[in-house]
Amino acid sequence: MNANPIEGGDIVLSVQGLKKNIGGKPIIRGVSFDVRAGEIFGFLGPNGSGKTTTIRMLVDLIKPTGGRVLVCGEDVSRSPEKALRHVGCIVENPEMYGYLTGWENLEHFARMQKGITRERILEVAEIVGLDKRIHDKVKTYSLGMRQRLGIAQALLGSPKLLILDEPTNGLDPLGIKELRAFIRRLADEGMSLFISSHLLSEIQLMCDRVAIISHGEVIAVGKVEELIAHADTYTLWLLDQPGKGRGMLAADPNVRLVGEHEHRIDDAVLAGMKEAIVTVMDEDRIPGMVAELVRAGVEVRAVQRVTPSLEELFLSLTEGEGIG
Amino acid sequence: MAEWLALVQNETIKVWKKKRFAFVVLVLLVLIPVFVYAQMKIAQNSAEKFKGDWRAELQNRITDNTRALGSERIPEEWKKWRRALVQQLQYYLDHDMNPNTPNAVTFTRGYLDNSVTLFIPLMVLAIASDLVSGERSTGTIKMLLTRPVRRWRILLSKLVTLTLYVSLIIVTNAALCYLISGLAFGYQGWGEPIFTGFRVSGADVNVATVHAVPQYMYLLMQAGLVWCSAMTVAVLALMVSVLVRSTAASFVTMMAAVIAGTVLTNMASSWHSAKYLFNVNLELTDYLQGTPPPIEGMTLGFSLAMLGIWAAAGLAVSFAVFTKQDILN
């Protein structure tokens, strides 16, 4: 941890030993990480792990019991009016005033910060692609449009850090794809993004680095690929003769067969391929194995790589801790 | 200063666009004609009975009340009040003043007297109960409090906005009442002398300090007192709105307190410490008329001080809680 976050290589957000007790119970038991300029930082944890409580402490909605949050070197609890100037955020759902129009909502939040011009409001409305409906009442907006308006609001003050809490919740697949591209564009322009999620795949697709939180504690911080490498990636085999194929796969010492109840692959992934044989093996060995199977007269219908679930990553991380 | 005004502008726009004030005006436009019609019926009725002789009517009321004083079934507290009333009516009679001349200004005066306990608090609560709890129940408070503005400034802007709307509600009440009742009773009556300065001490109305003021002056004094009473309700509603998450709960809590006040004023004459409750002190305009207070020992100064103390405490709690509270959902 850096004693002086400003000298620590452009650290935009520094969370240091954050703790929170609610009703005498420790909810957050020590959260520390740094977010650097221009990176997309993921905050991964299952529901109920303390993600939202932590995010609320980042933006001064909840006062920490211990530790501190620095944004561009300013303490969020002590001088929120300075620290929050650099932050745009959407905590949980993007809730705006439904009885005001999109434009009036943006004007409302623009009045709360110095130096936001009419031009800037127009600009952010255009950035999120809401300029056509901006003068309609927010209560007539779809969830996707509310999300856009929320982001527009967060971008108003040209923040250095954008905090999005489960931003893909409730969006359709196309919306999620657009959001990902949008987030990447913002990061390329030099903005830091802090994105929470309970889905490992989402973090994998979006983020550069990630902090993993479990039971109110950060159990790992690092590059996404490095952390994922801790857990096994599955290879699924869909064969026309599962019995024969299974025997051949089992015979290979480099292939580990995984029983039906041993893996934690999401049922949605397995839908339509119930017969699939679940294995753990090196990616390089797949072509050889396919050739072998074909030679033996076993038709290969599909081979699929499946990234581990968050649960498995957790297991491997906590096991690793236990051994190390 | 400019930033501070911008915050007040935000809050004012929100209340306005939520159509809270429009709702208040709508209620007034429906109910005031009803009251005017009722008053017209009363005036017609008494005109028929006494053939337009208001002196006879006044004399009649004095006789009625004096007779009631002789009855043993009436409790002592009620007799005190009746004795004072008789003295006051006698004063009007002796000075050849008709206290019931119906005109728009008299009607407005009577309307303000009657609306101060329930009707105006109700309208104030329509706006005040929602100020903070409305932001919490819709979740917009998360946007509001994550902007680079200190929390006390946000609450202060809400308080200033509330003060503006309370003032506007009282002015609108008086103005609409005058305009609508004028259609029935005529718009004159501003200069008519009205007696005030009654001092009730024990069973006696002390008439030594009674003097006549023009009716517009009386109306202004009334409006000022109604404002004090309404602001106390508003500030306490703001406090409840900070403490309670739902607007409905916040509204019901405050309405219950206000209604409890009117119930208590009717029955608490022997429970003396009830006078320290804010809700029995809301009927400030009664002191102008010389109506004996519900509990012995209450004076205009006492009631104003009580309301002031309650309002100050309400503000202290509101700011202390609002600036420190965790927004958990």
Side-chain angles (χ1 to χ4, degrees):
Chain A
M1 201 152 310
N2 298 286
N4 188 340
I6 297 180
E7 285 170 15
D10 278 0
I11 286 172
V12 174
L13 171 68
S14 176
V15 178
Q16 306 174 351
L18 210 54
K19 288 191 179 70
K20 178 66 183 177
N21 298 346
I22 295 177
K25 274 188 195 163
I27 301 295
I28 303 297
R29 300 188 291 180
V31 167
S32 301
F33 56 81
D34 289 332
V35 177
R36 299 174 196 138
E39 79 174 343
I40 305 180
F41 190 90
F43 193 48
L44 182 63
N47 294 326
S49 57
K51 280 196 310 277
T52 296
T53 310
T54 306
I55 288 185
R56 281 169 189 250
M57 285 196 276
L58 299 187
V59 291
D60 196 40
L61 286 174
I62 295 180
K63 312 278 178 193
T65 312
R68 56 180 190 162
V69 177
L70 301 177
V71 178
C72 300
E74 300 283 357
D75 192 310
V76 165
S77 266
R78 282 201 203 131
S79 42
E81 75 281 7
K82 284 183 194 149
L84 292 177
R85 214 174 278 165
H86 309 292
V87 182
C89 67
I90 302 179
V91 179
E92 286 179 314
N93 307 314
E95 281 126 345
M96 309 288 272
Y97 301 101
Y99 51 90
L100 299 180
T101 65
W103 181 265
E104 285 166 337
N105 265 292
L106 293 180
E107 269 186 329
H108 174 277
F109 291 106
R111 280 191 206 103
M112 299 184 76
Q113 201 165 350
K114 255 188 264 178
I116 301 177
T117 57
R118 211 188 122 77
E119 284 69 40
R120 178 65 186 160
I121 301 180
L122 269 173
E123 196 183 325
V124 293
E126 249 166 66
I127 291 176
V128 299
L130 209 63
D131 37 335
K132 287 197 183 67
R133 292 279 313 270
I134 198 72
H135 291 291
D136 291 354
K137 288 247 163 74
V138 169
K139 62 183 169 205
T140 67
Y141 283 15
S142 66
L143 184 70
M145 290 167 73
R146 280 170 207 229
Q147 184 80 267
R148 285 153 188 258
L149 184 62
I151 292 175
Q153 183 277 133
L155 292 176
L156 269 179
S158 315
K160 293 202 173 78
L161 172 68
L162 187 62
I163 296 175
L164 302 175
D165 188 4
E166 305 264 359
T168 56
N169 262 7
L171 293 186
D172 56 23
L174 187 66
I176 293 177
K177 215 169 171 183
E178 278 177 8
L179 183 73
R180 262 187 230 130
F182 183 69
I183 285 172
R184 179 51 67 191
R185 213 172 81 214
L186 291 176
D188 290 344
E189 286 164 14
M191 194 182 288
S192 306
L193 287 105
F194 181 91
I195 291 162
S196 80
S197 180
H198 64 281
L199 298 171
L200 181 61
S201 59
E202 202 166 87
I203 293 288
Q204 207 179 352
L205 283 165
M206 269 193 273
C207 301
D208 305 319
R209 288 199 313 138
V210 63
I212 299 177
I213 183 172
S214 169
H215 300 292
E217 269 174 304
V218 166
I219 56 173
V221 184
K223 287 203 167 145
V224 180
E225 310 90 75
E226 283 170 15
L227 285 175
I228 285 176
H230 276 283
D232 297 324
T233 299
Y234 295 110
T235 307
L236 306 186
W237 295 88
L238 198 59
L239 307 170
D240 72 334
Q241 300 167 55
K244 191 174 175 190
R246 184 179 290 273
M248 286 178 66
L249 286 165
D252 191 325
N254 294 311
V255 176
R256 182 159 65 83
L257 281 180
V258 183
E260 204 180 327
H261 301 290
E262 290 166 39
H263 65 76
R264 289 190 173 75
I265 300 173
D266 191 9
D267 284 343
V269 176
L270 286 178
M273 41 194 301
K274 285 197 187 94
E275 316 262 276
I277 301 160
V278 182
T279 64
V280 173
M281 63 189 289
D282 215 6
E283 198 176 10
D284 302 340
R285 300 201 51 83
I286 294 175
M289 196 68 225
V290 170
E292 227 173 280
L293 286 164
V294 171
R295 262 201 306 276
V298 179
E299 276 179 34
V300 178
R301 302 242 162 104
V303 185
Q304 192 178 339
R305 301 275 288 173
V306 175
T307 47
S309 68
L310 180 55
E311 275 174 301
E312 275 157 315
L313 185 57
F314 271 134
L315 278 179
S316 61
L317 284 172
T318 41
E319 269 167 22
E321 272 170 15
I323 295 162
Chain B
M1 188 65 188
E3 287 165 61
W4 179 78
L5 275 179
L7 291 181
V8 173
Q9 189 187 355
N10 271 349
E11 296 305 324
T12 314
I13 289 174
K14 281 188 276 184
V15 175
W16 189 266
K17 294 269 178 174
K18 252 186 176 175
K19 304 205 167 73
R20 288 295 147 117
F21 184 69
F23 172 72
V24 166
V25 172
L26 189 72
V27 168
L28 289 177
L29 285 178
V30 171
L31 288 183
I32 290 175
V34 174
F35 297 150
V36 170
Y37 185 74
Q39 178 67 48
M40 244 168 72
K41 282 282 162 198
I42 293 170
Q44 278 171 9
N45 221 355
S46 62
E48 266 170 39
K49 239 187 206 162
F50 302 100
K51 311 259 174 345
D53 187 357
W54 59 267
R55 283 180 201 82
E57 189 196 351
L58 216 53
Q59 191 61 57
N60 216 8
R61 284 176 68 192
I62 292 173
T63 321
D64 272 0
N65 282 291
T66 320
R67 196 179 303 134
L69 283 176
S71 165
E72 281 178 12
R73 279 178 304 178
I74 293 174
E76 193 51 36
E77 288 87 359
W78 289 29
K79 281 189 183 170
K80 265 189 199 172
W81 185 83
R82 277 171 195 265
R83 233 171 265 141
L85 185 69
V86 168
Q87 258 178 299
Q88 197 184 324
L89 293 171
Q90 192 63 48
Y91 193 92
Y92 281 124
L93 200 58
D94 293 347
H95 289 76
D96 204 26
M97 283 295 314
N98 183 356
N100 298 321
T101 321
N103 59 46
V105 187
T106 324
F107 180 81
T108 308
R109 183 162 60 88
Y111 168 81
L112 284 181
D113 276 335
N114 287 311
S115 56
V116 68
T117 44
L118 283 178
F119 203 40
I120 287 181
L122 178 81
M123 288 181 268
V124 166
L125 292 183
I127 288 171
S129 290
D130 194 41
L131 271 185
V132 178
S133 54
E135 303 256 13
R136 297 196 69 176
S137 52
T138 56
T140 46
I141 193 145
K142 288 181 293 185
M143 296 283 187
L144 196 64
L145 297 187
T146 51
R147 297 290 74 225
V149 178
R150 288 228 170 225
R151 287 190 185 186
W152 68 263
R153 283 174 168 272
I154 289 180
L155 192 61
L156 184 66
S157 68
K158 284 188 181 286
L159 178 67
V160 171
T161 304
L162 185 56
T163 311
L164 291 175
Y165 274 104
V166 166
S167 313
L168 191 60
I169 283 174
I170 291 167
V171 170
T172 312
N173 261 283
L176 282 179
C177 187
Y178 175 72
L179 291 173
I180 295 172
S181 65
L183 292 173
F185 307 130
Y187 291 104
Q188 72 284 9
W190 290 105
E192 185 182 308
I194 295 296
F195 295 102
T196 186
F198 299 98
R199 286 238 180 92
V200 183
S201 47
D204 296 319
V205 177
N206 184 353
V207 290
T209 49
V210 168
H211 55 281
V213 294
Q215 197 157 230
Y216 75 85
M217 185 69 92
Y218 189 94
L219 210 57
L220 271 180
M221 294 194 288
Q222 249 190 332
L225 292 177
V226 171
W227 187 85
C228 293
S229 162
M231 271 315 289
T232 309
V233 174
V235 164
L236 291 172
L238 184 69
M239 176 188 80
V240 175
S241 173
V242 168
L243 297 177
V244 177
R245 215 162 281 147
S246 107
T247 303
S250 147
F251 180 81
V252 168
T253 308
M254 274 312 288
M255 210 55 222
V258 169
I259 292 173
T262 63
V263 174
L264 275 176
T265 48
N266 290 330
M267 55 189 266
S269 52
S270 39
W271 173 26
H272 279 230
S273 42
K275 67 185 175 187
Y276 299 111
L277 297 171
F278 85 94
N279 44 12
V280 299
N281 285 297
L282 292 174
E283 283 179 80
L284 293 175
T285 55
D286 278 4
Y287 295 110
L288 286 181
Q289 293 182 55
T291 315
I295 301 166
E296 230 178 279
M298 286 169 64
T299 63
L300 178 59
F302 174 85
S303 285
L304 282 174
M306 275 304 123
L307 293 183
I309 290 168
W310 276 87
L315 280 181
V317 172
S318 305
F319 277 90
V321 173
F322 190 76
T323 50
K324 294 204 177 68
Q325 101 191 130
D326 286 341
I327 309 297
L328 294 170
N329 60 352

